[in-house]
Amino acid sequence: MTVQINLPASGVRSQADFDNLPEVSPGWAWELRSGRLELTLMPVTFWHFRIVMLVLEHWLRLGHEVAGEQYVADSGFARGETGRNNFVADGVVFESGYRPAKNSTTHDATNIHTVIEAVSAGSEDRDAVDKVRVYAALGIPNYWIIRGDADSDDIDGFITMYQLVDGEYQVVGNRLVSQLSVTD
């Protein structure tokens, strides 16, 4: 469920307006999207944040530039443009040799090498079905989905690695995040 509050034409809300917003349950947050303040489910746990960072660090070691969720959300890389119905990737790995400009805010899908998603409670269909179709249509060469063991205290995850072949993703490997090395 999404609750929307339209901003005035100036885009400015007072502190009093913000303070009077309804209290939200844990896991939910107010988020500004396309000129609307929306109540959005934000199930980012410590594991989710940390596992994405570990995978992005792997790609940094391989010499790629990377970006995490908040930057991606703000950058416009999601279905190729900004907008209310976009998907936000947990992480992106840019093509080898591509270095975003210091003040860049948008990126063409052709500059993306890999999209990374960490599956959270309730996001399996979105991450493993909906996003797969969209990122394949955008031509993103690689898509990594990370799943964790809910019964373990271990900060690790199981990666399913997909590669784009003839416009569709094919599984090309599986690995634990802890098994990533600079030779991958």
Side-chain angles (χ1 to χ4, degrees), residues 87-103:
F87 291 136
V88 175
D90 294 329
V92 295
V93 178
F94 294 104
E95 284 290 341
S96 183
Y98 177 76
R99 180 170 175 96
K102 178 181 171 183
N103 296 316

Side-chain angles (χ1 to χ4, degrees), residues 27 29 46 51 58 77 109-110 139 147 156 179 182:
F46 175 74
I51 208 74
H58 161 76
F77 169 71
T110 60
R147 293 171 178 88
D156 207 346
Q179 294 173 325
V182 290

Side-chain angles (χ1 to χ4, degrees), residues 4-181:
Q4 297 178 4
I5 297 175
N6 291 324
L7 295 175
S10 68
V12 176
R13 286 275 186 190
S14 69
Q15 181 67 42
D17 291 335
F18 183 78
D19 291 340
N20 287 324
L21 289 173
E23 289 292 321
V24 297
S25 302
W28 289 81
W30 289 107
E31 187 170 76
L32 186 62
R33 289 187 180 193
S34 301
R36 287 185 289 266
L37 192 59
E38 299 179 352
L39 185 59
T40 308
L41 180 62
M42 304 292 283
V44 178
T45 61
F46 175 74
W47 173 84
H48 185 276
F49 171 80
R50 187 67 179 121
I51 208 74
V52 170
M53 292 303 296
L54 289 170
V55 173
L56 290 176
E57 288 170 2
H58 161 76
W59 285 102
L60 280 170
R61 288 191 307 271
L62 293 175
H64 289 264
E65 292 293 336
V66 300
E69 186 168 6
Q70 187 57 51
Y71 176 78
V72 175
D74 292 342
S75 74
F77 169 71
R79 292 192 190 182
E81 58 184 68
T82 59
R84 179 177 173 276
N85 297 310
N86 287 332
F87 291 136
V88 175
D90 294 329
V92 295
V93 178
F94 294 104
E95 284 290 341
S96 183
Y98 177 76
R99 180 170 175 96
K102 178 181 171 183
N103 296 316
S104 65
T105 58
T106 60
H107 303 282
D108 190 275
T110 60
N111 294 319
I112 307 298
H113 179 273
T114 303
V115 171
I116 298 162
E117 292 292 347
V119 176
S120 298
S123 72
E124 180 73 30
D125 286 344
R126 188 171 168 90
D127 291 341
V129 178
D130 299 338
K131 289 183 178 185
V132 168
R133 280 187 236 136
V134 170
Y135 295 142
L138 286 170
I140 308 299
N142 301 286
Y143 187 60
W144 286 15
I145 298 176
I146 311 163
R147 293 171 178 88
D149 181 353
D151 297 326
S152 172
D153 286 337
D154 203 11
I155 302 288
D156 207 346
F158 184 77
I159 306 168
T160 303
M161 302 167 176
Y162 296 88
Q163 190 171 45
L164 194 62
V165 178
D166 297 325
E168 293 185 17
Y169 284 117
Q170 307 286 324
V171 175
V172 295
N174 295 290
R175 183 154 310 151
L176 290 172
V177 171
S178 60
Q179 294 173 325
L180 293 175
S181 70

